[in-house]
Amino acid sequence: MPDATRGAVRALTTAQLKATGTDHIVVNTLHLLLSPGPERVAELGGIKKLMNYEGTALSDSGGYQVFSLLHSKKWQGKITKFGAVFKSPKDGRKHELTPEKSIEVQMMLDTDVMVVLDDCRDSNVSKKEAEIAVEWTLDWADKAKRHFLKLGLDKKGKLLSCVVQGARFPELREFCMKELIKIGFDGYNYGGVGGYVVDNKGELALPEMKVIAEMVPKGKFLYAMGVGRPQDIEFANREMGWNVFDTVIPTRNARHGTLYCATEPDGILRITRSRFAKDLLPIEKGCDCEACVNYSRAYIHHLLRNGEMTGMTLATIHNLRFYQRLMTSLGGNS
Ligand SMILES: [Zn+2]
């Protein structure tokens, strides 16, 4: 799932997005909460209707960013066992993000898959701090699930996923997962650490992901939040069964000229390098995307070197198509 932060994948129209084969996106609850506000989105028929998008949309809880902004003291506010209270840097308005409020905002956005609010902290926290994060995460997951049912969202076909916390302590992740399974969710998400799934030797760098994957109940999805390099996705899926991913990597890299290409030795083509200035080949031979079918490396090189928006659009189209082909090769996209 690429990030359609405010209801758009940057530089693409919804039709262009669809043409890349992308039928799952993530929208950012915090950004939409601050502007234009969930009430406005609801009034306009929900984020999918507003985008004229027919695929599946997932919204995050809004917590991840609020917490990191508050922890780093970039924003004013505080975090308690009830949730977070913060001031919008946009207009100074006070906002509250509780487990119940997060579900309500996501309901107003009218997304298909929702995520419960969790207590996400830095990956290098002490065990004591990680234990508190797990305790609060479990309490909030329980409250969010109750609210989800109270609002009848399950009957409307919405799915609810939770976040397994526990930092770098596999036994805490195991405990958290066990308790979350008791509450019962449609999906179980790995969150809070980020980073790479595989190290330079191609081995698993985050063993706690394996702990979670081995415990997941049958028929439920495993969502690795923010996991996004092709090799990480491939490893997490083939070796452990993780099957949902969201990442800014293909879109952000595209805008900076880093393109994915199976025929390059390391799988990456840096299109703004001078060696592509007169290269009339497509970005990736055999790719069926709009950029590769119609244009040369030289053209996209020229556009990106001069900051032309169309260059960013074409580069984003190619990278998303590359990722969707990767997902199809893993048996995904269903
Ligand atoms: Zn292409």
Side-chain angles (χ1 to χ4, degrees), residues 261 264 269 271 276 279 281-283 295-301:
C261 176
E264 285 293 296
L269 188 146
I271 194 78
F276 298 115
D279 191 335
L281 291 173
I283 299 168
Y295 308 101
S296 64
R297 292 170 172 178
Y299 180 52
I300 294 161
H301 166 95

Side-chain angles (χ1 to χ4, degrees), residues 191-231:
V193 177
Y196 300 146
V197 178
V198 277
D199 60 21
N200 292 336
K201 293 180 198 138
E203 282 163 23
L204 179 62
L206 302 169
E208 60 272 22
M209 283 186 85
K210 202 169 177 204
V211 174
I212 300 168
E214 283 171 353
M215 295 172 74
V216 74
K218 209 165 180 263
K220 306 298 178 186
F221 65 83
L222 280 168
Y223 169 20
M225 301 170 93
V227 164
R229 292 184 310 171
Q231 62 267 45

Side-chain angles (χ1 to χ4, degrees), residues 77-96:
K78 64 176 180 182
I79 303 161
T80 68
K81 64 176 178 179
F82 303 108
V85 182
F86 61 95
K87 250 185 175 174
S88 163
K90 259 186 188 323
D91 53 14
R93 263 175 61 198
K94 207 169 140 186
H95 291 276
E96 208 181 8

Side-chain angles (χ1 to χ4, degrees), residues 283-284 287-293 314 317-319 321-322 325:
I283 299 168
E284 184 181 16
C287 177
D288 59 356
C289 84
E290 187 188 346
C292 292
V293 168
L314 292 171
I317 286 173
H318 171 75
N319 275 2
R321 184 69 197 126
F322 179 94
R325 283 191 276 115

Side-chain angles (χ1 to χ4, degrees), residues 1 58 113-116 118 137-138 141-142 145 159-165 173-192 208-227 240-246:
M1 301 184 287
L58 180 145
V113 188
M114 303 176 184
V115 177
V116 305
D118 67 304
T137 293
L138 291 173
D142 186 49
K145 172 77 188 280
L159 300 181
L160 185 64
S161 69
C162 59
V163 187
V164 187
Q165 285 296 349
R173 293 269 184 183
E174 189 183 338
F175 170 74
C176 192
M177 182 70 177
K178 199 171 83 191
E179 296 301 310
L180 288 168
I181 291 169
K182 284 184 198 162
I183 303 169
F185 292 94
D186 300 299
Y188 294 83
N189 312 350
Y190 173 78
E208 60 272 22
M209 283 186 85
K210 202 169 177 204
V211 174
I212 300 168
E214 283 171 353
M215 295 172 74
V216 74
K218 209 165 180 263
K220 306 298 178 186
F221 65 83
L222 280 168
Y223 169 20
M225 301 170 93
V227 164
M240 299 182 283
W242 291 85
N243 49 9
V244 179
F245 305 88
D246 81 284

